[in-house]
Amino acid sequence: LEKRLKDPSMSVRAQAVVALAKIGSPRAVPAMVRLTAGKGAQHRRMALKALMYLSGAKVHRDRFLKLSTQQKYRREAALVLAAKGDRRAAPLLYPLIRRRYDNEGWRSAKQLKDPLLVQLALAQLRTALARNDVYMLPPLLRMLGPARVRPYSRALTGLLFRVWGRLDVAHPGHRPALLAVIRALGHVGDANVRRWLGSYVHHKNYHVRMQARVALSRLGDTRSLKRLVQETANASDHHRPYLAALLGQLPLARLRPALAAALRRPDPYERLAFGAALFYAGDVT
């Protein structure tokens, strides 16, 4: 592979850099260092990125950080530095999490766990709740996690009824945000929330109904959990994988006893779905 770094073909050289980075052997570091001093801006940048994963030395991170002064490299610098746990990525990540669909940026911000980024995200959440602005809620709630979102359960419940109060709408507006709010409320651990979520199991939208059942099951509603298991058993081949993934969101301690009888069903496809749900929940046995 090191010999291929001198190949006449640019694509071959690029793939050799990627392959060496994936192997992860420190023996490839000298070759990458030589490449960073060679010709070709693209290959120098790729070699420097490879060095981030091969050694992670501060000197290489410093050089990669300098790339962030150029607009076309700023996002890549933010993601790579965050992957190495370098807190200097936080100011570069913040513009990325101002956009809803930059999933890599949101994942990197969650992984970095920078206190300032968390505070900025919380401020963004408070503003969204005050303005009934639901557009950014799905990535915000995912990044912050249940523990940080729990103090806002009352505001989220109010938002639920102010924005999505009607249950007879087959295609509710901003459905991903509605599902994210229901999912977040399922983690609050407050039994009073069950009363407010209960009506959403009768929602006209199938995905909203199922997500409400998962949230209620997490809050201790055994009837919703039994109904969800039955729904999974009776589902079509199209819906069953989706329902198995939803069941897999529940804590393993609650899911395992609920599926004990279901795993003995004669239909192999039903058993496969319930086994997949346990696997999603963390049961690797």
Side-chain angles (χ1 to χ4, degrees):
L1 286 173
E2 289 183 14
K3 290 180 181 178
R4 292 292 175 262
L5 294 175
K6 300 177 182 179
D7 195 279
S9 170
M10 184 179 70
S11 60
V12 171
R13 296 196 302 271
Q15 289 302 316
V17 172
V18 172
L20 286 168
K22 287 183 176 179
I23 290 172
S25 173
R27 292 168 54 192
V29 170
M32 290 296 122
V33 171
R34 287 193 298 270
L35 195 58
T36 60
K39 295 181 179 180
Q42 180 182 0
H43 286 97
R44 288 199 302 270
R45 184 167 55 88
M46 288 185 67
L48 189 54
K49 187 174 181 180
L51 280 171
M52 295 285 290
Y53 295 101
L54 289 169
S55 72
K58 186 176 183 298
V59 62
H60 302 313
R61 297 204 306 270
D62 291 345
R63 290 184 64 182
F64 212 89
L65 185 63
K66 291 179 181 178
L67 290 175
S68 66
T69 59
Q70 303 176 50
Q71 180 65 34
K72 61 180 178 179
Y73 299 143
R74 195 166 297 156
R75 180 178 181 275
E76 186 175 8
L79 298 178
V80 172
L81 289 168
K84 302 305 292 183
D86 194 320
R87 291 284 179 85
R88 292 176 296 177
L92 304 175
L93 281 173
Y94 185 61
L96 303 185
I97 65 173
R98 299 287 292 173
R99 300 193 291 267
R100 175 181 171 183
Y101 293 107
D102 197 327
N103 293 327
E104 286 184 287
W106 284 101
R107 280 196 296 269
S108 296
K110 183 177 182 179
Q111 178 185 355
L112 190 61
K113 299 178 182 177
D114 183 78
L116 182 57
L117 271 182
V118 171
Q119 290 303 314
L120 289 169
L122 284 171
Q124 203 171 338
L125 175 63
R126 287 192 291 268
T127 301
L129 292 174
R131 296 178 179 176
N132 292 341
D133 182 4
V134 302
Y135 183 74
M136 294 293 290
L137 284 182
L140 274 172
L141 295 174
R142 272 198 308 271
M143 175 193 165
L144 291 170
R148 295 191 185 97
V149 171
R150 193 169 291 122
Y152 301 93
S153 59
R154 182 175 297 180
L156 286 169
T157 306
L159 183 70
L160 195 65
F161 286 92
R162 287 196 303 273
V163 180
W164 300 285
R166 291 184 58 184
L167 304 178
D168 58 345
V169 181
H171 304 286
H174 301 289
R175 191 185 72 181
L178 171 57
L179 297 175
V181 170
I182 293 175
R183 189 181 304 115
L185 288 173
H187 284 273
V188 300
D190 185 356
N192 290 324
V193 174
R194 285 171 52 179
R195 295 188 299 121
W196 299 100
L197 279 179
S199 58
Y200 284 83
V201 300
H202 307 294
H203 200 283
K204 194 169 184 178
N205 183 272
Y206 175 79
H207 297 279
V208 175
R209 292 199 306 272
M210 296 303 108
Q211 191 63 65
R213 291 196 189 283
V214 173
L216 288 168
S217 301
R218 185 179 289 276
L219 290 169
D221 189 336
T222 55
R223 185 170 60 178
S224 288
L225 180 53
K226 289 179 180 178
R227 183 66 183 272
L228 193 58
V229 172
Q230 192 60 42
E231 291 267 5
T232 306
N234 297 336
S236 64
D237 292 340
H238 174 70
H239 283 111
R240 190 172 285 159
Y242 167 72
L243 292 176
L246 282 184
L247 277 170
Q249 296 177 8
L250 295 172
L252 188 58
R254 179 164 296 169
L255 188 60
R256 189 182 281 126
L259 296 183
L263 287 169
R264 296 192 294 269
R265 289 174 179 265
D267 189 327
Y269 294 103
E270 291 181 24
R271 295 199 305 271
L272 179 63
F274 294 128
L278 287 171
F279 176 77
Y280 296 144
D283 189 346
V284 296
T285 59

